[in-house]
Amino acid sequence: MSPHNSRTGFLGKTQGIHPRVIPAGRVGFVRKTVECKESRIGKKPIEVPSNVTLTLEEQFIKAKGPLGELSLNYPGEVKVVKEESGKLRVSKTVETKRANQMHGLFRTLTDNIIVGVSKGFDKKLQLVGVGYRAAVEGKDLVMNLGFSHPVRMAVPEGLKVKVEENTRIIVSGYDKSEIGQFAASIKKWRPPEPYKGKGIRCADEFVRRKEGKAGKKK
């Protein structure tokens, strides 16, 4: 059998089978509907303590407690309602992938403002290094981090900073995002290095260590 006959036999012509050719313009794509699962975090109700006063207006919430006052605006994909039991519940208004993402996120943000104005948050930092120390002078945090001069940082309004044993810094307040942002700005001065572990780290942070370069073998 010649090569030509072997090819036509593969296509089925020798057995009377004619393959159907579909024009390129008629080729289509099948759309699949993606089902958005309910967020495990988003569907949890939020407890509201008795010492917190809430104001709900459509896509806006304001919480006032003994430590301060915080507010939050919601996107169109989610909404917040207060149930008869007094608990808050964040729900989706549409079934899209973005709505599913916003559901869990804004449930967490809502819980943060409720806990923040009633109990507050704190973040602990540790100074590791010879001669590294910190102190609070008035409304400033002053740190000696091995530079030729001390590092002085103004404490933002609404936050409190306390130093224990000259090496432990505690940042506290009612706005969790502000606490995290100020703590990150403190760490930026001396991020922990991987060889000796010196620097500023969170109290529960694990710093992966690296082995230094070995000396030249004789």
Side-chain angles (χ1 to χ4, degrees):
M1 182 181 292
S2 66
H4 177 73
N5 291 335
S6 65
R7 287 196 297 270
T8 56
F10 175 77
L11 294 174
K13 284 188 177 181
T14 57
Q15 300 181 11
I17 302 173
H18 301 281
R20 183 181 178 186
V21 179
I22 302 176
R26 296 177 59 186
V27 177
F29 297 93
V30 179
R31 293 180 179 270
K32 291 185 178 181
T33 303
V34 179
E35 183 180 354
C36 297
K37 296 182 180 179
E38 189 79 9
S39 171
R40 289 180 296 177
I41 298 176
K43 64 184 180 182
K44 293 181 180 178
I46 302 170
E47 297 280 351
V48 181
S50 57
N51 58 353
V52 175
T53 304
L54 295 177
T55 303
L56 291 173
E57 297 177 1
E58 297 181 355
Q59 298 298 99
F60 174 81
I61 185 173
K62 182 170 67 174
K64 187 176 181 180
L67 298 182
E69 183 178 308
L70 291 172
S71 61
L72 182 64
N73 287 300
Y74 294 84
E77 290 87 355
V78 294
K79 64 178 181 179
V80 60
V81 294
K82 189 174 183 179
E83 299 178 337
E84 294 181 359
S85 61
K87 297 180 181 179
L88 291 179
R89 189 175 294 274
V90 179
S91 58
K92 296 182 290 184
T93 57
V94 292
E95 289 295 333
T96 62
K97 184 177 179 180
R98 175 177 165 80
N100 197 51
Q101 295 168 345
M102 296 294 103
H103 190 200
L105 171 63
F106 276 85
R107 190 271 173 197
T108 301
L109 295 177
T110 305
D111 185 62
N112 285 347
I113 67 172
I114 299 297
V115 175
V117 298
S118 59
K119 298 179 181 178
F121 297 98
D122 62 35
K123 194 144 186 99
K124 299 178 181 179
L125 302 173
Q126 181 74 39
L127 274 62
V128 179
V130 177
Y132 287 13
R133 62 183 185 274
V136 178
E137 296 180 2
K139 294 185 178 181
D140 293 345
L141 173 64
V142 182
M143 298 178 290
N144 291 309
L145 302 173
F147 299 118
S148 60
H149 58 280
V151 175
R152 184 177 293 271
M153 299 181 67
V155 179
E157 192 72 27
L159 297 184
K160 295 180 180 179
V161 176
K162 183 171 64 173
V163 177
E164 296 179 349
E165 299 180 3
N166 295 328
T167 57
R168 288 203 296 267
I169 303 172
I170 303 174
V171 183
S172 59
Y174 59 87
D175 192 336
K176 191 174 184 179
S177 61
E178 289 287 338
I179 294 171
Q181 187 174 357
F182 185 62
S185 64
I186 295 174
K187 284 184 63 178
K188 192 183 295 184
W189 283 102
R190 278 293 189 192
E193 54 91 17
Y195 295 101
K196 294 184 179 180
K198 296 194 303 181
I200 306 173
R201 66 179 74 174
C202 296
D204 56 351
E205 181 180 358
F206 173 74
V207 178
R208 188 179 294 276
R209 303 289 289 273
K210 291 182 179 179
E211 186 178 352
K213 293 182 179 179
K216 192 174 182 180
K217 294 182 181 180
K218 296 182 180 179

